[in-house]
Coordinates of all heavy atoms in Angstrom, one line a residue:
M2 N 3.9 -12.8 -5.0 CA 2.8 -12.2 -4.3 C 3.2 -11.0 -3.5 O 4.2 -11.0 -2.8 CB 2.2 -13.3 -3.3 CG 1.5 -14.4 -4.0 SD -0.3 -14.3 -3.8 CE -0.5 -14.5 -2.0
A3 N 2.4 -10.0 -3.6 CA 2.7 -8.7 -2.8 C 1.3 -8.1 -2.6 O 0.3 -8.5 -3.1 CB 3.5 -7.8 -3.7
Y4 N 1.3 -7.1 -1.7 CA 0.1 -6.4 -1.4 C -0.1 -5.4 -2.6 O 0.8 -4.9 -3.2 CB 0.2 -5.6 -0.1 CG -0.3 -6.5 1.1 CD1 0.4 -7.6 1.4 CD2 -1.4 -6.1 1.8 CE1 0.0 -8.4 2.5 CE2 -1.9 -6.9 2.9 CZ -1.2 -8.1 3.2 OH -1.6 -8.8 4.3
V5 N -1.4 -5.2 -2.9 CA -1.7 -4.2 -3.9 C -2.7 -3.2 -3.4 O -3.6 -3.6 -2.5 CB -2.3 -4.8 -5.2 CG1 -1.2 -5.7 -5.9 CG2 -3.4 -5.7 -4.9
I6 N -2.7 -2.0 -3.8 CA -3.6 -0.9 -3.4 C -4.7 -0.8 -4.5 O -4.4 -0.5 -5.6 CB -2.9 0.4 -3.1 CG1 -2.0 0.2 -1.9 CG2 -3.9 1.5 -2.9 CD1 -1.1 1.4 -1.6
S7 N -5.9 -0.9 -4.1 CA -7.1 -0.8 -5.0 C -7.4 0.6 -5.3 O -6.9 1.6 -4.7 CB -8.3 -1.5 -4.5 OG -8.9 -0.7 -3.5
D8 N -8.3 0.8 -6.3 CA -8.8 2.2 -6.6 C -9.6 2.8 -5.5 O -10.0 4.0 -5.6 CB -9.6 2.1 -7.9 CG -8.8 1.8 -9.1 OD1 -7.6 1.9 -9.0 OD2 -9.4 1.4 -10.2
E9 N -9.9 2.1 -4.4 CA -10.6 2.7 -3.3 C -9.7 3.7 -2.6 O -10.1 4.5 -1.8 CB -10.9 1.6 -2.3 CG -11.9 0.5 -2.8 CD -13.2 1.1 -3.2 OE1 -13.8 1.7 -2.4 OE2 -13.6 0.9 -4.4
C10 N -8.4 3.6 -2.8 CA -7.4 4.5 -2.2 C -7.8 6.0 -2.3 O -8.1 6.5 -3.4 CB -6.0 4.3 -2.8 SG -4.7 5.4 -2.2
I11 N -7.8 6.7 -1.2 CA -8.1 8.2 -1.2 C -6.8 9.0 -1.1 O -6.8 10.2 -0.8 CB -9.1 8.5 -0.1 CG1 -8.6 8.1 1.3 CG2 -10.4 7.9 -0.4 CD1 -9.4 8.6 2.4
A12 N -5.6 8.4 -1.2 CA -4.3 9.0 -1.2 C -4.1 9.8 0.0 O -3.6 10.9 0.0 CB -4.2 9.9 -2.5
C13 N -4.4 9.2 1.2 CA -4.2 9.9 2.5 C -2.8 9.8 2.9 O -2.3 10.7 3.7 CB -5.1 9.3 3.5 SG -4.6 7.7 4.1
G14 N -2.1 8.8 2.4 CA -0.6 8.7 2.7 C -0.3 8.0 4.0 O 0.9 7.8 4.3
A15 N -1.3 7.5 4.7 CA -1.1 6.9 6.0 C -0.2 5.6 5.9 O 0.7 5.4 6.7 CB -2.4 6.6 6.7
C16 N -0.4 4.9 4.9 CA 0.2 3.6 4.7 C 1.7 3.8 4.5 O 2.5 3.0 4.9 CB -0.4 2.8 3.6 SG -0.4 3.7 2.0
A17 N 2.1 4.8 3.7 CA 3.5 4.9 3.3 C 4.4 5.0 4.5 O 5.5 4.4 4.5 CB 3.6 6.2 2.4
G18 N 4.0 5.7 5.6 CA 4.8 5.9 6.7 C 4.9 4.6 7.6 O 5.8 4.5 8.4
E19 N 4.0 3.7 7.4 CA 4.0 2.4 8.2 C 4.8 1.3 7.5 O 5.1 0.3 8.2 CB 2.5 2.0 8.4 CG 1.7 2.9 9.2 CD 2.2 3.1 10.6 OE1 2.6 2.1 11.2 OE2 2.3 4.2 11.1
C20 N 5.1 1.4 6.3 CA 5.7 0.3 5.6 C 7.2 0.2 6.0 O 8.0 1.2 5.9 CB 5.7 0.5 4.1 SG 6.5 -0.8 3.2
P21 N 7.6 -0.9 6.6 CA 9.0 -1.1 7.1 C 10.0 -1.1 6.0 O 11.2 -1.0 6.3 CB 8.9 -2.4 7.8 CG 7.8 -3.2 7.1 CD 6.8 -2.2 6.7
V22 N 9.6 -1.4 4.8 CA 10.6 -1.4 3.7 C 10.5 -0.3 2.6 O 11.0 -0.4 1.6 CB 10.6 -2.8 3.0 CG1 11.1 -3.9 4.0 CG2 9.2 -3.2 2.5
N23 N 9.7 0.7 3.0 CA 9.4 1.8 2.1 C 9.0 1.4 0.7 O 9.5 1.9 -0.3 CB 10.7 2.7 2.0 CG 10.9 3.5 3.3 OD1 10.0 4.0 3.9 ND2 12.2 3.5 3.7
A24 N 8.1 0.4 0.6 CA 7.6 0.0 -0.7 C 6.5 0.8 -1.3 O 6.1 0.6 -2.4 CB 7.2 -1.5 -0.6
I25 N 6.0 1.7 -0.5 CA 4.8 2.5 -0.9 C 5.1 3.9 -1.3 O 5.8 4.6 -0.5 CB 3.7 2.5 0.2 CG1 3.4 1.1 0.7 CG2 2.5 3.2 -0.3 CD1 2.5 1.0 1.9
S26 N 4.7 4.3 -2.4 CA 4.9 5.7 -2.9 C 3.6 6.3 -3.5 O 2.7 5.5 -3.9 CB 6.1 5.7 -3.9 OG 5.8 4.9 -5.0
E27 N 3.6 7.6 -3.6 CA 2.5 8.2 -4.2 C 2.5 8.1 -5.7 O 3.4 8.4 -6.4 CB 2.5 9.7 -3.8 CG 1.2 10.4 -4.2 CD 1.1 11.8 -3.6 OE1 2.1 12.3 -3.1 OE2 0.0 12.4 -3.7
G28 N 1.4 7.6 -6.2 CA 1.3 7.4 -7.7 C 0.3 8.4 -8.3 O 0.1 9.5 -7.7
D29 N -0.3 8.1 -9.4 CA -1.2 9.0 -10.1 C -2.6 8.9 -9.5 O -3.4 8.0 -9.9 CB -1.2 8.6 -11.6 CG -2.0 9.6 -12.4 OD1 -2.3 10.7 -11.9 OD2 -2.3 9.3 -13.6
G30 N -2.9 9.7 -8.5 CA -4.2 9.7 -7.9 C -4.4 8.7 -6.8 O -5.4 8.7 -6.1
K31 N -3.5 7.8 -6.6 CA -3.5 6.9 -5.5 C -2.1 6.4 -5.2 O -1.2 6.7 -5.9 CB -4.4 5.7 -5.8 CG -3.8 4.8 -6.9 CD -4.8 3.6 -7.1 CE -4.1 2.5 -8.0 NZ -3.9 1.2 -7.3
Y32 N -2.0 5.7 -4.0 CA -0.7 5.2 -3.7 C -0.4 3.9 -4.3 O -1.4 3.1 -4.5 CB -0.5 5.2 -2.1 CG -0.1 6.6 -1.6 CD1 -0.9 7.7 -1.8 CD2 1.1 6.7 -0.9 CE1 -0.5 8.9 -1.3 CE2 1.5 8.0 -0.4 CZ 0.7 9.1 -0.6 OH 1.1 10.3 -0.1
V33 N 0.8 3.6 -4.5 CA 1.1 2.3 -5.1 C 2.2 1.5 -4.4 O 3.1 2.2 -3.7 CB 1.6 2.5 -6.6 CG1 0.4 3.0 -7.5 CG2 2.8 3.4 -6.7
I34 N 2.2 0.2 -4.5 CA 3.2 -0.6 -3.8 C 4.1 -1.2 -4.8 O 3.7 -1.8 -5.8 CB 2.5 -1.7 -3.0 CG1 1.6 -1.1 -1.9 CG2 3.5 -2.8 -2.4 CD1 0.7 -2.1 -1.2
D35 N 5.4 -1.1 -4.5 CA 6.4 -1.8 -5.4 C 6.4 -3.3 -5.0 O 6.8 -3.7 -3.9 CB 7.8 -1.2 -5.2 CG 8.8 -1.9 -6.0 OD1 8.5 -2.4 -7.1 OD2 10.0 -2.0 -5.5
A36 N 5.9 -4.1 -5.9 CA 5.8 -5.6 -5.6 C 7.1 -6.3 -5.3 O 7.1 -7.2 -4.6 CB 5.1 -6.2 -6.8
D37 N 8.2 -5.8 -5.9 CA 9.5 -6.4 -5.7 C 10.0 -6.1 -4.3 O 10.9 -6.8 -3.8 CB 10.5 -6.0 -6.7 CG 10.1 -6.5 -8.1 OD1 9.5 -7.6 -8.2 OD2 10.4 -5.9 -9.1
T38 N 9.5 -5.0 -3.7 CA 10.0 -4.6 -2.4 C 9.1 -5.1 -1.2 O 9.6 -5.4 -0.1 CB 10.1 -3.1 -2.3 OG1 10.9 -2.6 -3.4 CG2 10.8 -2.6 -1.0
C39 N 7.9 -5.2 -1.4 CA 6.9 -5.6 -0.4 C 7.2 -6.9 0.2 O 7.5 -7.9 -0.5 CB 5.5 -5.6 -1.0 SG 4.2 -6.2 0.1
I40 N 7.2 -7.0 1.6 CA 7.5 -8.3 2.2 C 6.2 -8.9 2.8 O 6.2 -9.8 3.7 CB 8.5 -8.1 3.4 CG1 8.1 -7.0 4.4 CG2 9.9 -7.7 2.8 CD1 9.0 -6.9 5.6
E41 N 5.0 -8.3 2.4 CA 3.7 -8.8 2.8 C 3.5 -8.8 4.3 O 3.0 -9.8 4.8 CB 3.5 -10.2 2.2 CG 3.6 -10.3 0.7 CD 3.6 -11.7 0.2 OE1 2.6 -12.5 0.5 OE2 4.6 -12.1 -0.4
C42 N 3.9 -7.8 5.0 CA 3.7 -7.7 6.4 C 2.3 -7.4 6.8 O 1.9 -7.6 7.9 CB 4.7 -6.7 7.0 SG 4.3 -5.0 6.7
G43 N 1.6 -6.7 5.9 CA 0.2 -6.3 6.2 C 0.0 -5.0 7.0 O -1.1 -4.6 7.3
A44 N 1.1 -4.3 7.3 CA 1.0 -3.1 8.1 C 0.1 -2.0 7.3 O -0.6 -1.3 7.9 CB 2.4 -2.5 8.4
C45 N 0.3 -1.9 6.0 CA -0.5 -0.9 5.3 C -2.0 -1.2 5.4 O -2.8 -0.3 5.5 CB 0.0 -0.9 3.8 SG 0.0 -2.6 3.0
A46 N -2.3 -2.5 5.3 CA -3.8 -2.8 5.4 C -4.3 -2.4 6.7 O -5.5 -2.1 6.9 CB -4.0 -4.3 5.1
G47 N -3.5 -2.6 7.8 CA -3.9 -2.3 9.1 C -4.2 -0.8 9.4 O -5.0 -0.5 10.3
V48 N -3.6 0.1 8.7 CA -3.7 1.5 8.9 C -4.6 2.2 7.9 O -5.1 3.3 8.1 CB -2.4 2.3 9.0 CG1 -1.5 1.8 10.1 CG2 -1.7 2.2 7.7
C49 N -4.9 1.5 6.8 CA -5.7 2.2 5.8 C -7.2 2.4 6.2 O -7.8 1.5 6.6 CB -5.7 1.4 4.5 SG -6.6 2.1 3.2
P50 N -7.7 3.6 6.1 CA -9.1 3.9 6.5 C -10.1 3.4 5.6 O -11.3 3.3 6.0 CB -9.1 5.5 6.6 CG -8.1 5.9 5.6 CD -7.0 4.9 5.7
V51 N -9.7 3.0 4.4 CA -10.7 2.5 3.4 C -10.5 1.1 3.0 O -11.2 0.6 2.1 CB -10.8 3.5 2.2 CG1 -11.3 4.8 2.6 CG2 -9.5 3.6 1.5
G52 N -9.5 0.4 3.6 CA -9.3 -1.0 3.2 C -8.8 -1.2 1.8 O -9.0 -2.3 1.2
A53 N -8.0 -0.3 1.3 CA -7.5 -0.4 -0.1 C -6.4 -1.4 -0.3 O -6.4 -2.1 -1.3 CB -7.1 1.0 -0.6
P54 N -5.5 -1.6 0.6 CA -4.4 -2.6 0.4 C -4.9 -4.0 0.7 O -5.6 -4.2 1.7 CB -3.3 -2.2 1.4 CG -3.7 -0.8 1.9 CD -5.2 -0.8 1.8
S55 N -4.6 -4.9 -0.1 CA -4.9 -6.3 0.2 C -3.9 -7.2 -0.5 O -3.2 -6.8 -1.4 CB -6.3 -6.7 -0.4 OG -6.4 -6.5 -1.8
A56 N -3.8 -8.4 0.0 CA -2.9 -9.4 -0.6 C -3.4 -9.9 -1.9 O -4.6 -10.1 -2.0 CB -2.7 -10.6 0.4
E57 N -2.6 -9.9 -2.9 CA -3.1 -10.2 -4.2 C -3.5 -11.7 -4.4 O -2.9 -12.5 -3.7 CB -2.0 -9.9 -5.3 CG -2.6 -9.6 -6.6 CD -1.5 -8.9 -7.5 OE1 -0.3 -9.2 -7.3 OE2 -1.9 -8.2 -8.5
Ligands
SF4_21 FE1 4.9 -2.4 3.0 FE2 4.0 -4.4 4.5 FE3 2.3 -3.1 3.0 FE4 4.1 -4.7 1.8 S1 2.4 -5.3 3.2 S2 3.6 -2.6 1.2 S3 5.8 -4.4 3.2 S4 3.4 -2.3 4.7
SF4_22 FE1 -4.5 5.0 0.1 FE2 -5.2 3.6 2.3 FE3 -2.6 4.2 1.8 FE4 -4.3 6.1 2.5 S1 -3.7 4.4 3.8 S2 -2.8 6.2 0.9 S3 -6.2 5.4 1.5 S4 -3.9 2.8 0.5

């Protein structure tokens, strides 16, 4: 289980700087979370303006 970023993502980049383990990177049109790195802290969901990250 890891957090995932939905297609609602507007690629603002806010979440990437909040992730304590640097699991978030810019993908093709949206940001993506590396499932093997994510520790499910929820920080990305807390800062996202559109609620794109959620626990799978
Ligand atoms: Fe990073 Fe935490 Fe979001 Fe996982 S839940 S991607 S560890 S900020
Ligand atoms: Fe996408 Fe939300 Fe991250 Fe911004 S904070 S890049 S909208 S997932």
Side-chain angles (χ1 to χ4, degrees):
M2 289 253 298
Y4 272 64
V5 292
I6 294 174
S7 75
D8 290 343
E9 301 297 305
C10 175
I11 56 171
C13 71
C16 56
E19 295 298 317
C20 181
V22 293
N23 289 319
I25 306 174
S26 59
E27 189 169 10
D29 186 16
K31 68 178 193 119
Y32 275 61
V33 293
I34 294 171
D35 177 33
D37 292 332
T38 306
C39 176
I40 57 171
E41 300 171 60
C42 71
C45 51
V48 298
C49 181
V51 296
S55 63
E57 208 167 23

